[in-house]
Amino acid sequence: MAKSAWSLRATKSPMTSSGQMPVKAATNEEIGGRIFFSGAERSLVEEDEIRLTSVGVDIGSSTSHLMFSRITLERLDTRYVVSDREVLFASDIFLTPYAVNDEIDTDVLAAFIEEAYKASGIRREDVDTGALILTGVAVRRRNARAIGELFASEAGKFVAVSAGDHLETIMAAHGSGAVAASETGRSILNIDIGGGTTKLALCKAGEVVDLTAVEAGARLVATDDAGVINRLERFGALALGEGIGLGDVLSEARKSALADQLAERICAAIDGTLTAEFRRLGQMDIKAPIDGIVVSGGVSEYFYDKAGEDFGDIGSELAKALRQRLEARGVPILPHLDGIRATVVGASQYTVQVSGSTIFFDPAATLPMRNIPVIAPPMDLPETIVVDDVAAAVAGHLDLYNLGTGDQPVALALHWTGSASFHRLDALARGLIAGLAPILAQGHPLAIVADGDIGGLLGLHVRENDLTANPIVSIDGIELSDFDFVDIGEVLSATGSVPVVVKSLVFPGEGAAGKQEDAA
């Protein structure tokens, strides 16, 4: 089943602020009021089935595209779960337009987006939710800001993600089905080949356990209809060598030789022997045998013989060269999910969950918080918690998800077990604060969302012991995971409770890769 997304969960618990002790949660009847979705005047807590229209917008260095989906959710106790996902419309693959100085031509891009909406027959106001994913050159500050303005009217509905190499690699592995295919214990390698770079992710037990990114892609060199080079990236020029450049004709022989060289580069990355010059991330260290390979990204359309268009690049040749080398290794090549569209479908699933827990926030002006990315670092919390271990886990996850710059606030998802003794709370709090140092240094709140009944105590401990001067928001009774975004609303004056909306990215049909392989 697809990864759950857009969870709407309301904490039914009075606040604890400025030193007040946590108190018993209010009941649903005490709160009164209903949680309404969007502007449709629909009460989520009264409907057994909900249908949402979602759009995923993927804008990268080489290509851009949109996908519209209808998500059907059914009530399961106090939760809604995805029961069906139907792709309503997939736009053409559009070569990302450029103006000057690596800046994306937003006027041309806007026209493409409007045309995609028109072709889909779906109006912007009919879209309930969505995700805007920016990768590669699109992530650059001026590009990201200009592209974001194209979706300003949907700001309240959309999750916007600027994905660097780490995050893009992880997202591709989820979207291709490689992560889901590894849930049975197999080691699955995802190879995501785009226009400028190739991302490799080793997946095991439903997690990405190792990754890297390589300077190898289909559009490092591109030509016009006459075969004349009209785009030449630095690493494409290095691969071609001297004596050929912009304005020259790229022969078929030279194109094949270039593809062979890039395929060898990708294989060297798999083997852990690729030199640092051609890596964008660290070296992979794959010790155990690989049980299967999934290929995603634009080049995968050629790899799986699904492409029907020539984009004037070396995608076809690169796919052929890589397939020959992978087949020679004898590792099974598994089917993929959605190929070039593997990054994300959109944000879609809503869940209503009643929490009987406590919260802490200080000062009151800290709320509301909107579209805060969540990190969920895996942490063991033994009876004796080690501050440095907690700090290292948090800092490592910040870097993994490209959030270590401190440019935006971050919510930390915490799985709590064990006793709430002073020493355990103190060590945990100090470790979290140390790990989140880049975030807190920029004045952002210390935002913690725990699944166990610890939110009020943890926030109160931090404030009363002067562990940080930053604003604090600490809530509990809610489960979060990586790829989630959280909204924490304003306090409901009648009860002191706060509504919590959780939005997650939905990937195309996670879990189906393994099923496809079994049927193949």
Side-chain angles (χ1 to χ4, degrees):
M1 189 177 79
K3 177 178 169 57
S4 66
W6 266 97
S7 305
L8 178 56
R9 305 161 186 165
T11 61
K12 308 300 185 183
S13 52
M15 67 175 177
T16 311
S17 181
S18 301
Q20 298 179 15
M21 290 299 293
V23 296
K24 179 67 178 177
T27 66
N28 192 39
E29 289 74 16
E30 289 170 335
I31 286 179
R34 297 169 182 167
I35 304 165
F36 288 94
F37 167 67
S38 186
E41 298 298 316
R42 299 182 307 192
S43 173
L44 287 182
V45 296
E46 291 184 350
E47 295 192 29
D48 290 326
E49 182 178 275
I50 300 171
R51 290 186 178 181
L52 306 177
T53 300
S54 173
V55 59
V57 184
D58 187 351
I59 300 175
S61 298
S62 300
T63 59
S64 301
H65 54 92
L66 289 75
M67 181 180 287
F68 297 83
S69 302
R70 177 177 290 120
I71 311 294
T72 301
L73 303 105
E74 293 183 355
R75 184 199 294 271
L76 180 64
D77 296 326
T78 57
R79 292 175 178 267
Y80 285 90
V81 297
V82 172
S83 60
D84 186 53
R85 178 179 72 85
E86 175 189 0
V87 175
L88 300 177
F89 179 81
S91 75
D92 293 335
I93 304 299
F94 183 63
L95 294 180
T96 303
Y98 288 88
V100 293
N101 299 326
D102 272 345
E103 289 187 21
I104 290 174
D105 191 327
T106 52
D107 290 337
V108 176
L109 185 61
F112 164 69
I113 292 168
E114 288 302 321
E115 184 59 33
Y117 269 89
K118 186 181 299 183
S120 72
I122 298 171
R123 301 176 302 171
R124 285 185 182 244
E125 55 266 34
D126 294 333
V127 172
D128 298 308
T129 183
L132 171 62
I133 309 298
L134 308 180
T135 58
V137 172
V139 171
R140 295 179 182 175
R141 189 176 298 272
R142 291 186 64 178
N143 282 336
R145 183 168 58 247
I147 294 167
E149 290 173 358
L150 300 179
F151 296 90
S153 62
E154 291 96 337
K157 305 177 186 178
F158 273 54
V159 167
V161 182
S162 295
D165 291 328
H166 280 96
L167 184 54
E168 189 179 354
T169 304
I170 295 170
M171 291 172 70
H174 278 270
S176 70
V179 169
S182 74
E183 290 177 351
T184 58
R186 296 180 298 175
S187 293
I188 306 297
L189 178 67
N190 191 70
I191 306 175
D192 186 79
I193 314 171
T197 58
T198 295
K199 275 82 174 178
L200 291 87
L202 182 65
C203 312
K204 190 157 190 177
E207 300 286 343
V208 174
V209 297
D210 199 0
L211 54 81
T212 193
V214 182
E215 300 284 5
R219 294 189 65 80
L220 293 180
V221 181
T223 62
D224 60 18
D225 293 340
V228 175
I229 298 174
N230 58 11
R231 177 175 175 177
L232 184 59
E233 303 293 339
R234 176 183 167 228
F235 284 94
L238 285 174
L240 282 176
E242 297 181 359
I244 186 170
L246 286 171
D248 293 328
V249 174
L250 184 65
S251 67
E252 291 300 320
R254 204 144 198 177
K255 188 184 287 190
S256 295
L258 174 61
D260 285 338
Q261 187 176 159
L262 297 182
E264 285 292 340
R265 192 177 294 176
I266 294 169
C267 289
I270 297 172
D271 296 333
T273 59
L274 185 63
T275 59
E277 178 185 12
F278 299 113
R279 281 188 283 106
R280 298 171 65 92
L281 298 174
Q283 192 84 270
M284 291 188 78
D285 184 18
I286 302 177
K287 293 184 172 65
I290 298 172
D291 299 312
I293 293 175
V294 178
V295 178
S296 60
V299 173
S300 70
E301 302 294 295
Y302 297 101
F303 191 90
Y304 292 103
D305 295 325
K306 293 183 178 180
E309 186 175 353
D310 183 0
F311 290 97
D313 53 34
I314 63 167
S316 176
E317 290 79 8
L318 179 54
K320 179 181 178 181
L322 183 61
R323 180 175 271 278
Q324 289 174 344
R325 286 161 175 78
L326 294 179
E327 288 178 343
R329 292 172 176 239
V331 180
I333 296 173
L334 309 182
H336 66 169
L337 299 176
D338 290 323
I340 192 172
R341 306 180 195 274
T343 302
V344 70
V345 170
S348 69
Q349 183 176 335
Y350 274 71
T351 305
V352 179
Q353 177 178 315
V354 177
S355 169
S357 308
T358 53
I359 65 175
F360 178 98
F361 66 92
D362 181 48
T366 305
L367 300 179
M369 300 176 69
R370 303 289 188 220
N371 278 338
I372 309 302
V374 173
I375 60 169
M379 291 186 292
D380 292 325
L381 297 179
E383 189 59 31
T384 301
I385 296 174
V386 179
V387 173
D388 289 345
D389 290 348
V390 173
V394 174
H397 231 56
L398 280 179
D399 290 340
L400 186 63
Y401 285 87
N402 302 112
L403 294 168
T405 61
D407 292 340
Q408 59 183 319
V410 170
L412 188 138
L414 177 66
H415 175 59
W416 174 260
T417 57
S419 63
S421 66
F422 175 90
H423 293 293
R424 292 190 85 227
L425 285 176
D426 192 64
L428 175 62
R430 292 178 187 276
L432 296 178
I433 290 169
L436 291 169
I439 308 298
L440 302 179
Q442 299 298 319
H444 298 303
L446 173 65
I448 302 169
V449 183
D451 57 358
D453 190 7
I454 199 66
L457 288 175
L458 186 59
L460 189 62
H461 181 94
V462 172
R463 182 58 81 222
E464 289 195 336
N465 290 279
D466 296 322
L467 300 186
T468 181
N470 292 57
I472 300 171
V473 176
S474 183
I475 65 178
D476 59 22
I478 294 176
E479 295 181 7
L480 297 177
S481 61
D482 295 323
F483 296 121
D484 285 345
F485 292 75
V486 66
D487 293 351
I488 305 175
E490 296 178 353
V491 180
L492 302 176
S493 58
T495 65
S497 63
V498 293
V500 179
V501 177
V502 182
K503 296 165 275 190
S504 300
L505 301 183
V506 173
F507 298 97
E510 266 194 305
K515 295 177 183 177
Q516 288 182 10
E517 180 217 0
D518 293 337

